[in-house]
Amino acid sequence: MLPGPPGVNFARQLRADQRTKDIPIIMLTARAQEQDTIAGLESGADDYVTKPFSPRELLARIKAVMRRRVPQLTDDVVEIADLKLDPVAHRVSAAGGNIDLGPTEFRMLHFFMTHPERVYSRAQLLDEVWGDHVFVEERTVDVHIRRLRQALEPTEHDSLVETVRGTGYRFRRTLG
């Protein structure tokens, strides 16, 4: 019920723009008809909540959308192959011990662990880990990958960080 164009048009505009296409969208609306819900979701909304709604339900829906769309921004503990990352405590552990990481390596590991089995180019990693407004050499990624592997080496989790020749890097779900 926005003034001017309907919310579905706004959602379509966000999804069409390269800079805003990944922003999570939850539509809060008085329109409760099935066709309105379908139109909202098909326009790119991640969720569609009709009035009246409780603040607790809305918060739970926001957290669910964030877990799906940008898991690296949540406070959830991530665990893969006995490697555990706690973003709130800023701790990484494996084999019963803590692993010391610098802030960039921590962010990189968190991103990788929340997006396993997908290959990312250096440019994509720069955008995701450093941010898209930072201008550093792409080879900087290689330096931090090497530091990350060195930190994971004592627990043999360094093999989870794979180089995909000519493409970039991938984080595996299993050791070996």
Side-chain angles (χ1 to χ4, degrees), residues 9-169:
N9 291 359
F10 183 64
R12 283 190 188 106
Q13 286 177 329
L14 287 175
R15 291 294 178 245
D17 187 331
Q18 190 64 25
R19 303 268 305 155
T20 59
K21 69 180 178 73
D22 294 325
I23 293 175
I25 300 172
I26 299 176
M27 289 193 172
L28 305 176
T29 180
R31 296 178 178 237
Q33 298 294 318
E34 180 183 24
Q35 68 262 20
D36 295 321
T37 303
I38 292 168
L41 294 171
E42 286 180 347
S43 71
D46 296 291
D47 201 353
Y48 191 93
V49 182
T50 58
K51 295 177 188 176
F53 55 85
S54 78
R56 289 179 57 201
E57 177 188 0
L58 179 59
L59 186 58
R61 288 177 177 273
I62 290 169
K63 287 180 179 179
V65 166
M66 293 298 284
R67 277 194 306 271
R68 285 191 310 270
R69 297 285 268 153
V70 280
Q72 72 273 20
L73 297 181
T74 67
D75 292 339
D76 297 342
V77 173
V78 186
E79 188 167 358
I80 293 178
D82 195 39
L83 180 65
K84 186 176 177 181
L85 184 142
D86 183 344
V88 175
H90 207 288
R91 263 194 205 116
V92 177
S93 60
N98 286 334
I99 297 171
D100 293 325
L101 294 176
T104 303
E105 289 76 23
F106 185 88
R107 286 193 315 273
M108 182 177 283
L109 181 61
H110 192 201
F111 178 76
F112 273 139
M113 289 180 75
T114 55
H115 299 85
E117 300 298 339
R118 182 167 170 208
V119 178
Y120 289 93
S121 68
R122 288 179 185 93
Q124 288 172 316
L125 288 170
L126 282 173
D127 285 348
E128 296 293 343
V129 177
W130 280 262
D132 61 354
H133 297 297
V134 176
F135 300 101
V136 293
E137 291 290 321
E138 284 191 0
R139 290 295 181 177
T140 302
V141 172
D142 300 340
V143 171
H144 289 281
I145 290 285
R146 186 172 58 250
R147 288 180 186 166
L148 177 59
R149 284 179 175 151
Q150 286 171 343
L152 297 175
E153 193 173 13
T155 61
E156 299 180 0
H157 286 87
D158 56 316
S159 65
L160 293 174
V161 181
E162 252 183 354
T163 300
V164 180
R165 191 177 162 133
T167 306
Y169 298 97

